[in-house]
Amino acid sequence: MRVFKWIYGILLVLLIVFPFYWVTISSFKVPDQILQPDLWPKAWTLQHYRELLFDTPYLLNLKNSLIVSFGTMIVTVMIVVPASYAIYRMEFKGRNFFYKLILATYIFPAMLLLVPVYQLMSKVGLVDSLWSLIIMNVTFGAPFATWLMSGFFKAIPKTLDESAAIDGAGTMRILFQIILPLIAPGLATIAVYAFVVSWTEFTFASILITSDEYKVLPIGLSQIMGQYTVKWGWTTAGAVLTLLPVLIFFAFAGRYFVKGLTEGSVK
Amino acid sequence: MEKEATQNATITQRPIERKKAKKVEVKHFVPYLLVSPLVLWIVITIFIPLSTVIKESFYSTGFVGTQGEFVGLQNYINVFTSSAYWGSWKNSLLWVVGNGLTQTVLAFSVALYLNNKFKLSKFARTWMIIPWIIPTIVVAIFWQWIFNGSYGIFNHVLMGIGLIDQPLNLLGDPTWALPTIIFINSWHWFPFLAVIILAGLAGIPEELYEASAVDGANKWQQFWGITFPSLQHITFALGLVGTLWMFNIFDVIYTLTEGGPAGSTTTVPVQIYQQAFDNYELGSASAMSVVTAIMMVVFAVVFIKFAAPKDE
């Protein structure tokens, strides 16, 4: 039983880790060895990275991705926190309706919205603008972020806002001075969530952005992949350089994020 | 409820204090002020576009951006008689069920594993989620590189241990393509599920297990008797949201196979995309969208009605 447990554990770790290892190690192999199945490169090279950085629009894509992800993150927090505060801590007519309306967004496949969103964006002149991506990423991140906040709000005793209200504090003061510091882990969680949603979004980014100037990383990467199917050096190096920023971000915020995801989803 | 009661009490107790009364009055529009940015955002980016889809489904529009003629229910008739559309439903059902099973098994096994405390368990709990936080396109590259039909490491290993004599082209084979992408997508998503399940596991009181152990229950009986029922809220939420999420997935399929080979991985979202952007049939793509959305709503309503945990 114990041995079986060990073997199973090792298999699970391998399942998660091996793809990361294999692509990373491949990206350092010299071109004529990259197709060889060696678990350790015979010779190391940074050639693919150098070419990727200087011969492809990688850096431009990275810049765009960072703008979109941080933009989405800020907007999501700014609109989700007040909304979830109202929904989870206040009584008002239509509360349930708003709650259901926000959750109903899960039901409709994003695919259905692709065409009309494109039309809408072109009407308001936002096609081929990073704003269009920020706007849509907020739409797709916000409902789950709102739901995640419920756990954090429920963890704060209701008597707290009541006594503050009796003491004469206005709603805004209660939110900013009393509640906000208490839900800080929740803010971190939805911020990371919004960042990740944005960093990984592909479909809308591929339709709403037409010029190379505004392409984000996933799109840039898929073009490198499609145009140069033989260039596995670029593809693997590109994959590494696309996941690296999220890994760095996650190294700082990951602990809070997983903890927040855990706490937000059960309570 | 409690809150409202307190507010009312404040009003009735101190009706003369105008300042207090005013404050309570102000509060009435504050919640609307707080929810309105999010609600407006969603209405503008989801519900207004949805109404465009409904309108478009009655027109013969071809290219995006052109104006077609009003054709009444013609697009719907085409959709209901379209074998391509209903064929994509078959793939979508396989996709949803396949992902559901694979991810549930993987996520539960990881969660049950990490629910025990060991040296690296904290580290593992945080970092096991990385497959979920990386872009789909990177996931696609990972596995395309591993499963590559001519020089992928997967084929090397299988041939090395003598399981196969010829390299398999998993993504290029109509039989294997769908299961392969289901596996790849499950790899992408199971860590997220595992985190949620772990959260649920952490909420189960240890005494329940201790008491049942005294009564002589084995691990398996404990799982079905305690663990599983305790997680019913979570399994319900994941069953509903997870199914909708999985159904809607497009990018991993499109980047890996574009719906092929021979349509074997054309799920409903892929079909709608192709109808609109490859076949330039925006009108019928919109009709497909409407039919799909209605079926999703029906699914959600039925699921909530029959699967919602009883105690609420």
Side-chain angles (χ1 to χ4, degrees), chain B residues 139-289:
Chain B
V139 176
I141 289 174
F142 275 12
W143 291 99
Q144 208 169 37
W145 180 224
I146 290 171
F147 286 149
N148 188 291
S150 21
Y151 37 76
I153 181 94
F154 179 76
N155 277 313
H156 272 294
V157 170
L158 286 196
M159 282 162 73
I161 56 177
L163 265 178
I164 49 170
D165 337 304
Q166 286 278 318
L168 296 171
N169 187 7
L170 290 177
L171 289 162
D173 185 307
T175 328
W176 286 107
L178 190 66
T180 306
I181 322 183
I182 288 175
F183 166 77
I184 294 171
N185 187 58
S186 298
W187 182 85
H188 190 23
W189 276 86
F190 84 88
F192 176 75
L193 247 83
V195 170
I196 309 283
I197 293 170
L198 256 175
L201 291 176
I204 304 173
E206 196 55 42
E207 296 85 58
L208 284 180
Y209 291 104
E210 284 160 11
S212 74
V214 172
D215 292 342
N218 62 33
K219 290 260 173 205
W220 195 244
Q221 286 166 330
Q222 285 183 337
F223 180 79
W224 287 110
I226 303 168
T227 314
F228 204 66
S230 308
L231 295 176
Q232 60 167 329
H233 283 101
I234 286 180
T235 38
F236 168 70
L238 287 177
L240 181 62
V241 177
T243 304
L244 296 170
W245 250 335
M246 285 311 127
F247 181 87
N248 293 338
I249 278 175
F250 168 78
D251 48 4
V252 72
I253 305 174
Y254 202 73
T255 43
L256 280 168
T257 61
E258 296 193 13
S264 60
T265 58
T266 306
T267 58
V268 174
V270 175
Q271 174 72 29
I272 293 172
Y273 180 91
Q274 289 176 341
Q275 192 72 359
F277 295 99
D278 295 341
N279 302 342
Y280 306 114
E281 296 259 7
L282 187 58
S284 63
S286 300
M288 280 178 187
S289 301

Side-chain angles (χ1 to χ4, degrees), chain A residues 5-6 8-9 12 15-16 18-20 22-23 26 34-35 37 75 79 82-83 85-87 89-93 98 101-102 105-120 135-136 138-139 142 144 146-147 161-162 165-166 168 171-172 193 196 199-200 202-203 207 218 221-222 225 232 235-236 239 242-243 246-247 250-251 254-255 257-258 261-262 265-266, chain B residues 1-4 6 20 23 27 30-35 37-39 41-50 52-53 56 64-65 106 109-110 113 116 125-138 141-146 148 151 153 156 183 187 190 192 195-196 199-200 234 237 241 244-245 247-248 250-251 255 269 272-273 276-277 282 289 292-293 296-297 300:
Chain A
K5 239 182 169 173
W6 268 100
Y8 193 65
L12 282 174
L15 178 71
I16 294 178
F18 183 73
F20 287 89
W22 187 240
V23 164
S26 304
I34 195 165
L35 298 183
V75 179
I79 69 169
Y85 178 64
I87 284 173
R89 285 194 94 76
M90 292 174 146
E91 288 293 340
F92 58 99
K93 240 194 187 151
F98 288 129
L101 185 80
I102 293 165
T105 54
Y106 284 125
I107 294 179
F108 305 108
M111 191 50 51
L112 315 188
L113 302 172
L114 206 49
V115 174
V117 162
Y118 180 86
Q119 289 171 321
L120 187 76
I135 290 169
M136 291 321 291
V138 169
T139 300
F144 186 72
T146 307
W147 186 65
D161 353 9
E162 280 158 19
I166 289 165
T171 313
M172 289 301 164
Y193 177 73
V196 170
W199 195 261
T200 57
F202 180 85
T203 317
I207 291 292
L221 196 53
S222 82
M225 222 174 130
W232 276 103
T235 309
T236 49
T242 302
L243 69 92
V246 249
L247 289 189
F250 193 74
R255 224 156 17 109
F257 177 63
V258 174
L261 204 59
T262 314
S265 56
V266 273
Chain B
M1 277 314 251
E2 251 173 80
K3 205 174 151 79
E4 207 160 52
T6 331
K20 270 266 150 64
K23 205 148 260 163
K27 274 195 168 172
V30 168
Y32 300 101
L33 199 72
L34 294 175
V35 287
L38 177 57
V39 168
W41 200 288
I42 285 171
V43 167
I44 291 170
T45 55
I46 292 192
F47 291 95
I48 291 179
L50 268 181
T52 321
V53 178
E56 212 61 78
V64 176
L106 282 173
S109 52
V110 170
Y113 223 96
N116 304 309
R125 272 174 200 221
T126 304
W127 282 95
M128 67 153 184
I129 204 172
I130 44 169
W132 183 67
I133 65 168
I134 63 176
T136 314
I137 184 76
V138 175
I141 289 174
F142 275 12
W143 291 99
Q144 208 169 37
W145 180 224
I146 290 171
N148 188 291
Y151 37 76
I153 181 94
H156 272 294
F183 166 77
W187 182 85
F190 84 88
F192 176 75
V195 170
I196 309 283
I234 286 180
V241 177
L244 296 170
W245 250 335
F247 181 87
N248 293 338
F250 168 78
D251 48 4
T255 43
I272 293 172
Y273 180 91
F277 295 99
L282 187 58
S289 301
T292 309
M296 289 289 103
V297 173

